[in-house]
Amino acid sequence: MASGPPDWFKSEQLAAYGKDIRESCEALLAFAKVTLGLLEHEKRRRGPTPIHDSIRNVVRLLRPFLDRSALQVDYDLAQERLTVWSSKAALESILTNLLTNSIEAFRRANSPTRKVLFRTRLLDEEARVIVLDSGPGIKDIGLDEIWLPGKTTTDQGTGLGLTIVKDTVTEMGGTVHASADSELGGAEFTITLPLLKN
Ligand SMILES: Nc1ncnc2c1ncn2[C@@H]1O[C@H](COP(=O)(O)OP(=O)(O)OP(=O)(O)O)[C@@H](O)[C@H]1O
Ligand SMILES: [Mg+2]
């Protein structure tokens, strides 16, 4: 008599493994495409850049990676079109760094609910972009230390992500500020950028 699990069990298991591997590959590919895409010539040219387009573009391109991380993205965007003078690459690299930091914080804390909220507001002559998450918040590192190169609380981190964010925002004539916790319970990053006058 044949021993071991029945065939239907094996093929179902195999199908589940296959699906898992395919989804992991798609997630990795999405992440690689976004990071490599930032090097494209057209994306590196400065010009009028609508903030909302960059937010939606980053989320769209990272979708398989975000789904794989069970991340829910919410929006609370200003009615107005907020346009800044920047390259698309600069703005998208800021947003990608903040999103990946939230995902890493969720992973570290094994957070059951994983929400990131993109909020934008029009100020007098400035645009404000706020990225909040429902993770553990900024812990085990000082709020003044997170911007320094090499400062990280993760095993595999380089600690360069927020250094790049700060340098890029400063180059765009803006400021960035972090709060250890937010209305969603996790970290909050507030970026203020000069608006491009029409
Ligand atoms: N959303 C967040 N929630 C909690 N902690 C955060 C968040 N974003 C940043 N941090 C803290 O700030 C530290 C520095 O972040 P930074 O992006 O500079 O480096 P990293 O993410 O550790 O490494 P890398 O960006 O090279 O992968 C993180 O290690 C983490 O402790
Ligand atoms: Mg980082």
Side-chain angles (χ1 to χ4, degrees), residues 101-102 105 108 133 137-138 141 146 151-154 157-162 187 189:
N101 277 352
S102 296
R108 277 200 312 272
D133 69 47
I138 297 172
I141 185 167
I146 56 173
K151 290 284 179 183
T152 178
T153 56
T154 73
T158 63
L160 284 179
L162 287 178
F189 289 85

Side-chain angles (χ1 to χ4, degrees), residues 99-160:
L99 256 180
T100 51
N101 277 352
S102 296
I103 290 171
E104 180 52 33
F106 291 134
R107 193 195 60 76
R108 277 200 312 272
N110 208 6
S111 307
T113 47
R114 302 175 172 206
K115 288 187 186 173
V116 170
L117 172 67
F118 286 102
R119 176 173 284 155
T120 59
R121 290 291 179 264
L122 170 68
L123 307 180
D124 276 349
E125 309 227 312
E126 291 168 325
R128 187 156 278 177
V129 184
I130 308 163
V131 185
L132 304 74
D133 69 47
S134 64
I138 297 172
K139 296 197 303 198
D140 309 321
I141 185 167
L143 273 184
D144 48 349
E145 281 185 311
I146 56 173
W147 312 104
L148 301 174
K151 290 284 179 183
T152 178
T153 56
T154 73
D155 303 341
Q156 314 221 321
T158 63
L160 284 179

Side-chain angles (χ1 to χ4, degrees), residues 160-178:
L160 284 179
L162 287 178
T163 311
I164 294 169
V165 167
K166 189 159 204 165
D167 286 354
T168 313
V169 170
T170 307
E171 207 170 286
M172 289 164 73
T175 57
V176 56
H177 169 84

